[in-house]
């Protein structure tokens, strides 16, 4: 697909291409002479004690580089990359992947489904009923039909549930495969850096890693080269302190994380043969899913438990009523002089029928279809979200995102396009702009207008002080240059390319920077606490030069000099520093440019990279987090200031506007400087007009209001306890002492947090989760007056992150989003959802689908509970009046099948509408069954029960058919078939009504956009027609089905439920308006009153509504003069409760 531009090209490539796996090594060895897999595994197993000795024995004292040669690789150029070679290594040493845990087979899922208690009872009763009916039944020729129909119903229910689980497990497997494809690492092959997935790494590969973007180690290896490499091995050893990796401790273990430095290692063990892989395989079969119930599941479980209790009570009542009225009462009814009836004459066979009816009532009452509906909704949503660049790792994150009230978003790559380019450079006292010359690129301007010495120094600084993992990639098909690695560094490297320099050649020709001389250099890799990166390399004339790049305000503060246009260093005073900030940095930031400063320092006294002078820390100067700065990174000479543009994604402003309408607050949390962050926030709509105030001194003529935009250090000082000198106070654990009360005074206003650290993200997520501002009515009212609305429940936080240090914040947030393109492996492991396109607009998609999950479950719940109410009510009435349910057990199971399976499929696959984002987030503490849902359920249940009771008690007379309870029980009646058919058709039509939850009048809106719903509805209707007309005794339907007249009644009853829903919606609308009017009337007296007044200046009438400090005081106690206040001014400032009487003061 593309050709990687080498981060460093070796002058010669002595390796030979493999031929039949011969001569694969640099030293001419073939694969038969390579070290064996067991030798390499033993090397890693003995790493703590005899590892170095084994390595020396294996290589003859040649170390890691010799081992690379023995494995047919090269420390400098890596493997050849030939497909045959890579496949052969997988055969010899294994693949860097694990045999996937096979999902359950279909038969295993069927077995699991058969463990349902209700289904077991039905099967047992059917098994008992079949031989009993065959032996004792009145009509033995048809005795098999109903038990067989029960078996068939259970068979269908079990298989539908199993099929759904089968598809769901395969979807999870597909999602896991896609997630693995997003795990990218960088290896060196053919002397070039190449991006590969974890599974493509083989033994012999040279793996590049760093603490910034490639921190997770996917295999075991031996360190080839590195600088200040420290690895967190706590997950493996429990040791909390990072372990340094050097030539004396070179062994790097899979599953650990690089927390400092960068380097390269030789891969020696992969997959199940690595250290962590062997542990994983040892416990593989004991792994269990840790499924913590989400808020939605908690609510649904509560509903299921309550409904089960009601259903169990109804089933027991039905059974006892039928036994009492059908067996006990007839036995004693004849008691008298001639004695009682003989108990032997009682038809005890009815007990089985009664028990079967009671259990079927319980089966219908229990909404066991809810878990199926939830799983369907979540699986469907996650599948659709995948198509819209949201890879969902935890399904409950879909639902949680529907309750999100706050999104804390990164700027770079999320709000912006992450396609950076250098648009302006300030060097030698002159600003060069890409927009200033339409005929020449910015790079050409610098080469042609700057002295050659200055231009070369600029290019050299950039090439040296960038990571190996940042490189340019040329697409061979289009010739376009793509970025790999850090986008900011790639933008600088692209500028170097425009200037005509080869960054790979400059790196290779620089001692201390090339791979061969890496030990002579000393990198200080970028860290969030320092906000800068440096690289020390030896100078030809002796001593060392430290090249630095970093945040403009931090680097400028450490500069003592600045290069002029002639290349001479001139002193940099405090006044000139301030002038640079005002005339260069702020205008750059005002254009939404990221400002990066480039500087250097010569250290003539340093003799080697291991000199203590390079590691010395400053006594007074500190980093952004308060830690001591390196002396080598102070006393710098400023070379240039660059303005790097990262254009705003065009879809972001619209997405943020949709969030605002949806009641979701969007906050920007970025490491960029405050002015740049504010400019971007204004452009995308995070800072709205009400968040700004006029400021003539500012270049834009306006600035954010207090607390709307803060820098990290200011934010930390506001929300933590501080000492008198301004330093942060520490708690017992040595962490800054967080003050929730102070945080609650800040976060409602906060829109932009700039120059933030990963710890600030964690503080923000933790504080928002624990905030109880919503419970403080006074503060909520004060915020409302300032145009700030606080959600009336705890904040549900969504957080984005891409770096390794963002992982704790992603874990702490309710929903963590990791970047699929720019994110590190550790961030992806910690998150709930991976944004495959790193785009903020995709987060809004997740919010919409999350709300849709909640809505879909509510729709299904509304539908199922309506059917439950009607079915159970009919069963209770039938058991009391006729000692049988008018709807047979097999028919109830048919209704149960419609409810649990087909309806859940239809209602759980409803696509989201844009109206979902016009509502506030779902309140986690409120009931899932809303007032409108109760109106819909009870109203529809009342209608359906009225129709079915009419048919039950008057249907025989109306349709001129035999009464169902007078017909021989062995023969299904037309009467009860009409009742069953009318009930099902009303249920089907109500399925259309249940698509709407807020009392919408157009229940058909959007119905054609859901093919699943239409297909299920029509399919169910066809099945119902077949069941009634041809089901016969198997489904307890009349032989020959129903007549046209009877069908018209049933269809009419079903369709009228649509009309009835309109009446319910009208009632709901009127009741809401009446309630709203009552609330307004009730509140009105408490908001103020009106007075008439007379004074020397005139008479008048004044109305007032606001509260004020004079509340509760009598006007007669106030003292004022005519010159201090006019009467209208005074009265408008005074609040009361209702009309007040005012006595005129003597001065009026």
């Amino acid at each position: 697909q593309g050709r990687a531009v080498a981060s460093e090209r070796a002058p010669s490539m002595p390796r030979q291409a493999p031929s039949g796996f011969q001569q694969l090594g640099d030293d001419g060895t073939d694969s038969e002479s390579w070290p064996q897999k067991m030798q390499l595994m033993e090397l890693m197993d003995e790493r703590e004690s005899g590892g170095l000795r084994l390595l020396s024995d294996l290589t003859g004292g040649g170390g890691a580089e010799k081992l690379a040669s023995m494995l047919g690789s090269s420390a400098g150029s890596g493997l050849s990359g030939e497909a045959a070679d890579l496949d052969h290594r997988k055969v010899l040493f294994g693949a860097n992947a694990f045999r996937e845990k096979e999902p359950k087979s279909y038969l295993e899922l069927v077995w699991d489904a058969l463990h349902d208690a209700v289904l077991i009872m039905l099967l047992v009763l059917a098994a008992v009923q079949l031989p009993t009916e065959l032996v004792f039944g009145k009509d033995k020729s048809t005795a098999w039909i109903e038990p067989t129909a029960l078996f068939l119903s259970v068979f269908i229910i079990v298989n539908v549930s199993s099929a759904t689980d089968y598809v769901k497990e395969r979807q999870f497997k597909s999602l896991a495969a896609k997630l693995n494809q997003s795990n990218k690492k960088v290896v060196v092959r053919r002397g070039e850096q190449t991006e590969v997935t974890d599974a493509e790494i083989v033994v012999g590969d040279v793996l590049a890693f760093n603490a910034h973007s490639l921190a997770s180690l996917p295999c075991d290896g031996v360190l080839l080269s590195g600088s200040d490499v420290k690895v967190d091995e706590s997950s493996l050893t429990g040791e909390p302190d990072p372990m340094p990796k050097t030539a004396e401790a070179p062994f790097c273990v899979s599953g650990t994380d690089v927390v400092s430095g960068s380097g390269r290692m030789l891969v020696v063990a992969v997959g199940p043969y690595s250290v962590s892989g062997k542990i994983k395989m040892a416990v593989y079969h004991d792994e269990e899913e840790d499924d913590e119930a989400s808020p939605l599941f908690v609510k649904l479980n509560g509903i299921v438990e309550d409904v089960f209790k009601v259903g169990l009570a109804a089933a027991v009542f039905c059974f006892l009523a039928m036994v009492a009225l059908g067996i006990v009462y007839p036995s004693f009814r004849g008691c008298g002089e001639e004695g009682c009836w003989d108990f032997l004459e009682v038809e005890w066979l009815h007990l089985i029928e009664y028990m079967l009816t009671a259990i079927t009532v319980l089966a219908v009452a229990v909404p066991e279809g809810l878990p199926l509906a939830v799983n369907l909704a979540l699986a469907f949503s996650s599948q659709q979200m995948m198509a819209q660049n949201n890879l969902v790792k935890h399904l409950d994150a879909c639902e949680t995102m529907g309750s999100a009230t706050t999104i804390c978003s990164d700027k770079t790559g999320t709000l912006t396009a992450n396609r950076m380019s250098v648009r302006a450079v300030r060097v030698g006292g002159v600003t060069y702009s890409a927009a200033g010359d339409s005929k020449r690129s910015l790079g050409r301007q610098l080469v042609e207008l700057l002295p050659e010495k200055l231009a070369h120094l600029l290019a050299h600084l950039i090439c040296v002080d960038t990571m190996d993992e940042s490189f340019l990639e040329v697409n061979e098909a289009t010739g376009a240059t793509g970025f790999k690695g850090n986008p900011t560094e790639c933008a600088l490297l692209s500028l170097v390319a425009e200037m005509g320099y080869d960054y790979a050649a400059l790196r290779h020709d620089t001692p201390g920077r090339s791979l061969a001389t890496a030990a002579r250099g000393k990198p200080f890799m970028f860290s969030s606490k320092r906000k800068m990166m440096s690289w020390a390399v030896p100078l030809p004339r002796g001593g060392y030069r430290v090249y630095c790049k970093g945040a403009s305000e931090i680097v400028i503060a450490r500069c003592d000099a600045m290069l002029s246009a002639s290349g001479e260093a001139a002193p940099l005073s405090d006044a000139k520093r301030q002038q640079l900030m005002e005339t260069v940095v702020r205008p750059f930031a005002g254009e939404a440019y990221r400002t990066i400063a480039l500087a250097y320092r010569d250290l003539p006294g340093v003799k080697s990279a291991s000199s203590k002078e390079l590691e010395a820390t400053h006594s007074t100067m500190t980093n952004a987090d308060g830690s001591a700065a390196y002396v080598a990174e102070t006393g710098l000479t400023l070379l240039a200031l660059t303005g790097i543009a990262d254009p705003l994604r065009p879809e972001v402003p619209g997405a943020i506007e949709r969030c605002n309408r949806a009641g979701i607050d969007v906050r920007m949390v970025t490491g960029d400087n405050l002015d740049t962050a504010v400019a971007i926030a204004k452009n995308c709509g995070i800072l709205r007009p009400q968040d700004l105030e006029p400021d003539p001194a500012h270049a834009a003529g306006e600035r954010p209001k207090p607390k709307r935009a803060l820098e990290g250090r200011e934010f930390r000082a506001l929300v933590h306890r501080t000492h008198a000198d301004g330093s942060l106070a520490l708690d017992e654990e040595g962490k800054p002492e967080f003050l929730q009360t102070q945080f609650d005074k800040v976060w409602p206003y906060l829109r932009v947090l700039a120059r933030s650290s990963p710890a600030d993200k964690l503080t923000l997520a933790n504080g928002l989760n624990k905030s109880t501002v919503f419970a403080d009515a006074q503060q909520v009212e004060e915020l409302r007056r300032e145009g700030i609305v606080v959600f009336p429940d705890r904040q549900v936080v969504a957080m984005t992150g891409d770096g390794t240090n963002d992982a704790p914040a992603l874990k702490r947030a309710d929903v963590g989003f990791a970047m699929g393109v720019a994110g590190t492996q550790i961030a992806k492991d910690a998150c709930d959802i991976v944004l495959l396109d790193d785009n903020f607009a995709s987060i809004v998609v997740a919010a919409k689908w999350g709300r849709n999950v909640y809505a879909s479950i509510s729709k299904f719940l509304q539908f199922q509970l309506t059917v439950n109410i009607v079915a159970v009510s009919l069963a209770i009435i039938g058991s009391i009046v006729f000692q049988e349910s008018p709807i047979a057990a097999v028919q109830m199971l048919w209704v149960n099948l419609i409810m649990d399976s087909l309806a859940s499929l239809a209602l759980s696959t409803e696509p989201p509408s844009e109206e979902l984002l016009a509502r506030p987030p779902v309140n986690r503490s409120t009931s899932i069954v809303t007032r409108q849902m109760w109106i819909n359920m009870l109203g529809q249940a009342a209608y359906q029960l009225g129709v079915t009771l009419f048919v039950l008690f008057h249907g025989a007379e109306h349709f001129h058919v035999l009464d169902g309870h007078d017909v021989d029980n062995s023969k299904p009646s037309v009467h009860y078939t009409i009742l069953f058919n009318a009930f099902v058709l009303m249920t089907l039509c109500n399925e259309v009504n249940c698509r709407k939850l807020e009392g919408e009048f157009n229940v058909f809106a959007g119905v054609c956009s859901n093919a699943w719903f239409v297909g299920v509805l029509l399919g169910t209707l066809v099945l119902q027609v077949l069941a009634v007309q041809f089901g016969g005794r198997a489904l307890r339907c009349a032989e020959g089905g129903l007549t046209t007249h009877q069908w018209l009644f049933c269809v009419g009853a079903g369709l009228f439920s649509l009309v009835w829903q309109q009446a319910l919606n009208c009632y709901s609308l009127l009741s809401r308006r009446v309630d709203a009017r009552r609330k307004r009337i009730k509140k009105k007296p408490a908001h103020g009153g009106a007075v008439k007044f007379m004074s020397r200046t005139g008479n008048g009438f004044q109305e007032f509504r606001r509260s004020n400090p004079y509340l509760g005081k009598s006007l007669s106690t106030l003292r004022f003069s005519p010159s201090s206040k006019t009467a209208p001014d005074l009265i408008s400032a005074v609040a009361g409760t209702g009309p007040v009487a005012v006595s005129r003061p003597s001065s009026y």
Side-chain angles (χ1 to χ4, degrees), residues 563-612:
L563 288 185
S564 63
S566 62
E568 299 297 327
L572 188 63
S573 63
D574 289 341
K576 287 185 177 180
R577 288 193 192 94
Q578 186 62 29
Q579 184 182 12
L580 281 174
M581 294 297 297
E582 294 292 338
T583 61
V584 181
V585 176
R586 285 196 174 178
F588 278 7
E591 295 290 335
Y593 293 165
R594 167 175 285 188
T595 55
I596 302 295
L598 307 175
Y600 69 94
R601 179 183 181 181
D602 289 336
L603 300 171
V606 176
K607 303 301 182 183
S608 69
S610 60
S611 173
K612 292 184 178 180

Side-chain angles (χ1 to χ4, degrees), residues 611-896:
S611 173
K612 292 184 178 180
E613 191 174 341
L614 289 177
E615 294 285 353
T617 55
H618 206 280
S619 58
T620 58
M621 190 164 290
T622 60
N623 294 311
D625 69 337
S627 60
Y630 289 118
V631 173
E633 292 182 332
T634 62
L636 303 173
T637 299
L638 182 64
L639 171 60
L641 292 167
T642 61
I644 301 176
D646 188 7
L648 190 67
R649 292 181 184 268
E651 62 272 21
V652 164
I656 290 178
E657 176 59 31
R658 292 165 70 195
C659 286
N660 292 335
R661 290 201 308 269
I664 304 174
D665 286 331
V666 181
R667 294 175 169 84
M668 178 194 295
V669 185
T670 178
D672 221 330
N673 77 47
L674 185 60
D675 291 328
T676 303
V678 167
I680 291 289
K682 287 165 61 178
N683 292 340
C684 67
I686 291 178
L687 281 173
R688 293 166 288 183
Q690 59 265 38
D691 298 315
L692 303 170
E693 61 185 8
D695 181 12
H698 198 275
E702 58 186 4
R703 65 180 179 187
K705 291 180 180 178
K707 297 183 183 179
R708 266 58 170 194
L710 299 174
E711 286 190 331
R713 54 183 175 78
E714 186 180 1
F715 171 74
R716 290 188 286 273
L718 287 173
V719 303
H720 293 94
R721 191 181 302 281
T722 58
H723 295 298
D725 60 357
S727 61
L728 300 181
L730 303 181
D731 58 18
E732 296 178 353
E733 298 179 358
K735 299 178 182 179
E737 186 177 350
F738 176 71
L739 300 175
Q740 183 69 49
T741 53
Q742 294 300 111
F743 180 85
D744 286 345
K745 297 177 182 178
V746 174
W747 76 259
Y749 300 96
L750 185 64
R751 314 297 299 174
V752 176
L753 183 58
R755 289 297 183 218
S756 66
S757 66
D760 294 334
K761 278 189 173 183
L762 181 59
T763 299
L764 197 58
N766 188 57
L768 285 169
N769 276 142
K770 294 182 177 179
S771 176
T772 56
V773 168
F774 67 92
D776 187 339
Q778 182 178 353
Q779 186 178 359
V780 169
E781 178 61 22
E782 291 173 356
L783 291 169
R784 187 189 63 78
R785 290 175 185 165
E786 296 185 58
I788 299 172
V789 179
V790 176
F791 187 70
D793 201 347
R794 88 159 179 86
Q795 294 289 307
V796 179
V797 184
M799 180 76 70
T800 71
D802 57 6
T804 299
N805 291 337
D806 290 334
L810 295 179
K811 273 286 188 184
R812 181 63 183 86
D814 294 282
V815 183
F817 287 88
M819 303 298 108
V821 178
T824 65
Q825 182 60 48
I826 297 172
K828 293 177 186 177
D829 291 340
C831 75
D832 301 293
I833 299 175
V834 179
L835 291 180
L836 299 179
D837 61 350
D838 294 10
N839 192 341
F840 180 85
S842 298
I843 301 177
V844 183
V845 169
K848 184 165 74 171
W849 277 101
R851 293 187 178 192
N852 191 62
V853 168
Y854 197 92
S856 296
I857 301 307
S858 298
K859 293 172 186 177
F860 176 72
L861 189 64
Q862 179 175 260
F863 171 80
Q864 188 174 48
L865 291 182
T866 303
V867 182
N868 287 2
I869 294 171
V870 178
V872 172
S873 299
L874 276 176
I876 292 175
I877 294 172
S879 64
I880 294 175
V881 179
F882 305 116
Q883 293 81 58
E884 66 176 353
S885 172
I887 299 179
V890 69
Q891 292 175 342
M892 283 192 177
L893 288 177
W894 168 245
V895 174
N896 204 33

Side-chain angles (χ1 to χ4, degrees), residues 304-378:
V304 170
E305 290 177 5
D306 293 341
V307 174
F308 177 79
K309 293 174 183 177
V310 174
L312 182 62
V316 171
F317 177 81
C318 289
F319 178 74
L320 295 177
M322 287 186 289
V323 170
L325 297 175
I327 295 179
V328 178
Y329 176 70
S331 299
F332 290 96
R333 186 175 53 185
C335 289
E337 295 179 359
E338 299 178 359
C340 296
W341 287 10
D342 189 352
F343 273 77
L344 296 177
E345 296 182 5
V346 175
E347 296 187 20
W348 293 102
L349 192 61
H350 289 328
L351 269 179
I352 295 179
E353 296 177 0
Y354 296 161
M355 190 173 295
L356 179 63
T357 300
I359 292 176
T360 307
V361 168
L362 180 61
V364 174
V366 175
E368 67 270 15
L370 273 178
L372 176 62
V374 172
N375 287 327
L376 276 173
L378 292 175

Side-chain angles (χ1 to χ4, degrees), residues 79-115:
L79 295 176
S80 66
E82 295 288 340
D85 181 28
L86 300 178
D87 291 340
H88 185 54
R89 291 174 186 275
K90 290 180 181 179
V91 172
L92 290 180
F93 301 107
N96 194 34
F98 296 90
R99 182 176 57 83
E100 293 184 1
K101 191 174 184 179
E102 288 297 324
K104 290 184 178 180
S105 67
Y106 188 79
L107 291 178
E108 288 176 317
L109 293 172
V110 168
W111 178 249
D112 289 343
L114 283 171
H115 283 71

Side-chain angles (χ1 to χ4, degrees), residues 177 184 286 459 606 701 759 908 1058 1109 1142:
K184 300 287 188 179
D286 296 330
V606 176
S908 299
L1058 299 173
V1142 182

